[in-house]
Amino acid sequence: MEYLTRIYMYGGVSVKDVESSKFIKAYAEHLKRGDKFKEPSWVDIVKTGFTKELSPYDRDWYYIRAASILRRLYIRPFTGVGGFKKIYSKKNKIRVKPSHYNKGSGKIPRSILHQFEKIGIVKKTKKGTRKVTSLGRKEMDAIALKIHKDTQPKKKEEIDEIDELNEIVEEEKKEEEKDEEKEEEKEKEN
């Protein structure tokens, strides 16, 4: 944890500064590699909502959903299970009948939030909603900083080297064009 705290203090980058899909993928990998967050035994057979017919095809869907829920809690604290049911809801379009709006599953976000509470990343408020703890924020910001550093543009020296190479290529092209023009003039004279 010392490493994560040190990065957090000097980074100045939060989860809001990073693209959401990259953060969710990276945090899902972090959860999968760790030994604290476990997926339940029913993950293979559960549907994610009333509108679904089958369980998700991706084997890591539970970790991805957990990372998504935690990111949403970071950005919009004091969200409860009902809020997550609305977020993961979908229209139920069945054949000719008019479509109806159905909420997502409540068991999945509830079990994810319980696990995060046990780890100490999320805590429950007096109203029953949840919010991310300072430890959770530090951990999430550390991962966001790693992603931010990976997506940063190249250093100035590297950019200068690329510019020099481009100039050399352009000069060579100009010389080739001049040589071709000279050859064409010689052919015209003959």
Side-chain angles (χ1 to χ4, degrees):
M1 280 320 249
E2 295 171 18
Y3 176 71
L4 294 176
T5 306
R6 190 173 47 220
I7 289 176
Y8 174 74
M9 289 172 56
Y10 299 111
V13 176
S14 71
V15 175
K16 295 178 183 180
D17 300 329
V18 180
E19 196 174 319
S20 63
S21 60
K22 290 180 181 178
F23 176 79
I24 290 171
K25 190 180 290 185
Y27 200 79
E29 284 297 318
H30 172 73
L31 289 174
K32 190 175 178 183
R33 277 186 271 124
D35 57 342
K36 294 180 180 178
F37 192 84
K38 304 283 184 196
E39 61 181 23
S41 59
W42 45 260
V43 168
D44 296 340
I45 56 173
V46 73
K47 299 188 322 179
T48 56
F50 176 75
T51 59
K52 301 290 185 177
E53 291 183 18
L54 300 171
S55 62
Y57 292 120
D58 188 5
R59 292 181 183 213
D60 298 333
W61 73 268
Y62 190 76
Y63 296 108
I64 293 169
R65 179 66 59 97
S68 173
I69 285 174
L70 195 62
R71 182 183 175 276
R72 286 202 181 249
L73 262 180
Y74 183 98
I75 292 172
R76 192 177 181 124
F78 308 112
T79 306
V81 175
F84 288 115
K85 286 173 71 172
K86 287 179 190 173
I87 289 168
Y88 296 108
S89 62
K90 190 176 179 183
K91 274 188 179 179
N92 189 10
K93 178 77 174 143
I94 303 174
R95 299 184 192 120
V96 183
K97 296 178 185 177
S99 60
H100 294 281
Y101 171 82
N102 294 108
K103 291 184 179 180
S105 171
K107 173 73 173 176
I108 297 167
R110 189 177 300 112
S111 67
I112 288 170
L113 290 170
H114 282 304
Q115 284 194 47
F116 281 142
E117 283 178 25
K118 287 179 185 175
I119 297 170
I121 295 175
V122 173
K123 71 177 181 180
K124 201 169 190 178
T125 62
K126 293 178 182 176
K127 292 183 178 180
T129 59
R130 269 91 172 185
K131 71 176 199 172
V132 181
T133 62
S134 61
L135 175 69
R137 284 187 175 277
K138 287 178 184 179
E139 187 176 312
M140 293 171 73
D141 288 339
I143 291 171
L145 180 63
K146 288 179 188 176
I147 295 168
H148 187 71
K149 284 184 177 179
D150 291 343
T151 57
Q152 282 296 311
K154 297 179 180 179
K155 295 180 182 176
K156 187 174 182 191
E157 298 91 24
E158 294 174 5
I159 293 172
D160 291 340
E161 289 176 13
I162 292 170
D163 289 341
E164 289 174 7
L165 291 173
N166 287 336
E167 289 175 5
I168 292 170
V169 169
E170 288 177 13
E171 289 175 4
E172 290 176 356
K173 285 182 181 178
K174 288 179 182 178
E175 289 176 5
E176 288 176 6
E177 290 175 2
K178 288 179 182 178
D179 291 339
E180 289 176 5
E181 289 175 6
K182 288 180 183 177
E183 289 177 8
E184 288 178 6
E185 289 177 8
K186 286 182 183 178
E187 288 178 8
K188 286 180 182 178
E189 290 177 2
N190 292 332

